[in-house]
Amino acid sequence: FFEVTTALAFRIFDKEDVEVVVLETGLGGRLDATNVIARPALSIITSIGLEHTRILGDTIEKIALEKGGIIKEGCPVLVGNNVPLEVLKQCAEEKKASEFYQCDDVMMGPLPEPTMVEGKETFEDYDVENSRISSAALILLQFQLTQQKLQREGGDVKLISSEEIVEGTKIRPPCRFEEMDIPTTVMSEDGSKIQKNVRVILDVAHNPQAMDYLLVKLRSTYPNSSDNVRLVVGMSSDKDLKYCTEIVLDHVSQQANKLHLVEASHPRAASISSILEANPKLVNESHYYDTTMTSQQTEEEEVVNVNEHGRDVSSVSKQVRLALELAAKNDELLVVCGSVFIMADAREELGIVEPRDSKVIAEVAGAGLRSSQENFGDGKKKK
């Protein structure tokens, strides 16, 4: 499916005669469907963490070599701070890349210091780093495209100003520490209905490194979040479920009743039972509905709609709804995280109306899904 959609994207790029294409690899780099471009204008490796280890390798260095597969002979490469630098430098030399850049080679000055501070520790803000990599890439591409246009056409070339670069690189895709206020109706102590705004944060953090960063950024942005936060968590089956759930539990001081476990309908999503098996601490107090168990930790009895993969397709919506009610009642933040697979359903339950894949596309994908992996971002709140 990924290969077919990649080919369709190339066809559209050609048909529309686009000037610049930003291609993100699906998995790794060396063997990825996007890696058929022989001469990219620029290869960018942002950061490298331990994920997809069964496919890419079980060390950062092995994964770096797979991701380094997008480096091409005669083409420049730009890398971020969080990579094994010497491994990628050697890879670039062996592949005869034209230039090897780090952000500080292109940008003026280092990253702002301090970034995020927690206690006596200072953490690098990946949001700042992402903007910096994007800015450096735009500067390099602009220089290259300007040279090409001058050689081909001559005359004046309109440059993107530094102000435009700063404004453009502030933009973030949905579900990257995306903050919103969701009006939620709850019952007061006297039985009357009142409406409260719940601050909701959506983030696709999906591995231990990203989960750590998300929670550090959460504590930095909302200093009291450890005491007044509720989390809806769903994960992919190929992640370290034990480690990821421990990271989240540590953030809420091991209060498992602050966690809502969900399973996406995607076949690669971790099931509730696999999450509970990985971390038994969650069995008795966290909120979930496991279709494989007779004893259910749930506050409501509903008809469960199970898809062909044995997944409860309403798992995400039910727990987001319950978490919203409890967050409003207890004046808590609500964080939805752990996997891109849960976001479309979570956003729909939060009242964001967005396109959904047709049944035909879902069947072609072979997964019986209601939406594609990341089919969100152009939505509107329900009125």
Side-chain angles (χ1 to χ4, degrees):
F1 182 70
F2 186 78
E3 288 77 8
V4 171
T5 51
T6 300
L8 288 172
F10 289 148
R11 176 69 184 94
I12 293 170
F13 299 152
D14 178 60
K15 184 179 178 181
E16 298 296 325
D17 196 26
V18 299
E19 292 185 82
V20 178
V21 173
V22 180
L23 280 179
E24 182 180 3
T25 61
L27 180 64
R30 182 174 65 92
L31 300 177
D32 192 75
T34 60
N35 199 29
V36 295
I37 305 300
R39 292 191 60 79
L42 179 66
S43 298
I44 307 171
I45 300 174
T46 55
S47 63
I48 295 176
L50 278 173
E51 60 177 338
H52 306 296
T53 53
R54 289 181 296 179
I55 301 171
L56 302 180
D58 56 2
T59 67
I60 293 291
E61 290 72 22
K62 288 179 181 178
I63 295 173
L65 290 174
E66 290 294 322
K67 296 202 176 224
I70 66 171
I71 299 173
K72 297 296 194 301
E73 182 176 347
C75 302
V77 58
L78 169 69
V79 302
N81 285 348
N82 300 289
V83 300
L85 197 58
E86 294 307 316
V87 173
L88 290 178
K89 275 186 177 180
Q90 183 179 345
C91 185
E93 289 175 9
E94 292 174 354
K95 291 177 176 290
K96 299 180 181 178
S98 58
E99 291 94 11
F100 185 92
Y101 295 106
Q102 293 179 263
C103 288
D104 286 348
D105 300 328
V106 182
M107 307 288 291
M108 296 298 292
L111 282 167
E113 293 290 349
T115 49
M116 294 190 298
V117 178
E118 184 175 24
K120 295 182 179 180
E121 295 186 81
T122 300
F123 298 87
E124 182 176 25
D125 190 331
Y126 282 87
D127 212 35
V128 174
E129 172 69 357
N130 287 339
S131 292
R132 195 167 172 77
I133 293 171
S134 301
S135 299
L138 284 169
I139 291 169
L140 290 171
L141 288 170
Q142 182 162 242
F143 176 72
Q144 189 180 102
L145 290 172
T146 299
Q147 284 185 315
Q148 290 175 359
K149 284 192 174 183
L150 287 173
Q151 291 171 0
R152 189 170 60 243
E153 303 167 8
D156 295 332
V157 177
K158 184 181 184 302
L159 299 178
I160 305 172
S161 69
S162 57
E163 290 80 12
E164 288 171 323
I165 289 176
V166 169
E167 285 303 309
T169 55
K170 284 180 181 178
I171 299 169
R172 289 290 176 271
C175 302
R176 274 71 174 179
F177 209 81
E178 181 182 10
E179 300 170 273
M180 60 184 72
D181 290 320
I182 302 297
T184 306
T185 302
V186 293
M187 299 293 290
S188 65
E189 291 183 359
D190 62 7
S192 60
K193 291 183 179 180
I194 58 173
Q195 191 173 78
K196 290 185 175 181
N197 275 339
V198 177
R199 173 53 58 97
V200 178
I201 298 166
L202 304 176
D203 196 285
V204 293
H206 60 284
N207 59 30
Q209 181 185 22
M211 296 286 275
D212 267 329
Y213 165 67
L214 165 63
L215 296 176
V216 168
K217 187 171 179 66
L218 187 65
R219 288 190 289 268
S220 175
T221 309
Y222 299 95
N224 298 320
S225 66
S226 295
D227 300 321
N228 68 336
V229 69
R230 185 166 295 276
L231 296 102
V232 175
V233 182
M235 288 175 276
S236 298
S237 57
D238 60 346
K239 298 301 182 286
D240 189 332
L241 304 181
K242 169 74 171 176
Y243 191 11
C244 287
T245 51
E246 279 298 331
I247 290 171
V248 176
L249 273 171
D250 283 345
H251 181 76
V252 294
S253 304
Q254 297 293 315
Q255 298 177 75
N257 64 334
K258 295 290 189 80
L259 304 186
H260 296 252
L261 306 179
V262 299
E263 59 183 26
S265 56
H266 198 285
R268 280 178 50 203
S271 64
I272 296 295
S273 57
S274 64
I275 298 173
L276 297 176
E277 184 178 353
N279 197 333
K281 293 180 185 178
L282 301 170
V283 172
N284 293 326
E285 293 187 34
S286 63
H287 302 269
Y288 59 87
Y289 193 95
D290 182 8
T291 59
T292 67
M293 299 176 67
T294 54
S295 176
Q296 309 292 350
Q297 180 69 22
T298 181
E299 296 181 14
E300 52 187 317
E301 291 187 8
E302 299 184 33
V303 176
V304 179
N305 184 10
V306 178
N307 70 5
E308 62 190 89
H309 304 288
R311 304 298 169 80
D312 177 7
V313 297
S314 60
S315 170
V316 178
S317 60
K318 283 190 293 190
Q319 290 302 330
V320 168
R321 193 184 318 133
L322 175 60
L324 262 179
E325 292 172 3
L326 291 174
K329 182 179 179 180
N330 301 319
D331 294 319
E332 297 168 324
L333 287 167
L334 177 58
V335 178
V336 182
C337 65
S339 173
V340 69
F341 298 143
I342 70 173
M343 289 301 169
D345 286 340
R347 291 169 72 83
E348 182 178 58
E349 185 59 38
L350 292 172
I352 301 169
V353 181
E354 292 171 312
R356 288 277 188 168
D357 285 342
S358 69
K359 290 183 178 179
V360 174
I361 293 293
E363 288 172 4
V364 171
L369 308 180
R370 296 181 62 219
S371 61
S372 65
Q373 175 172 324
E374 197 168 345
N375 185 16
F376 49 76
D378 189 26
K380 299 177 181 178
K381 288 293 298 301
K382 291 178 183 175
K383 292 183 180 180

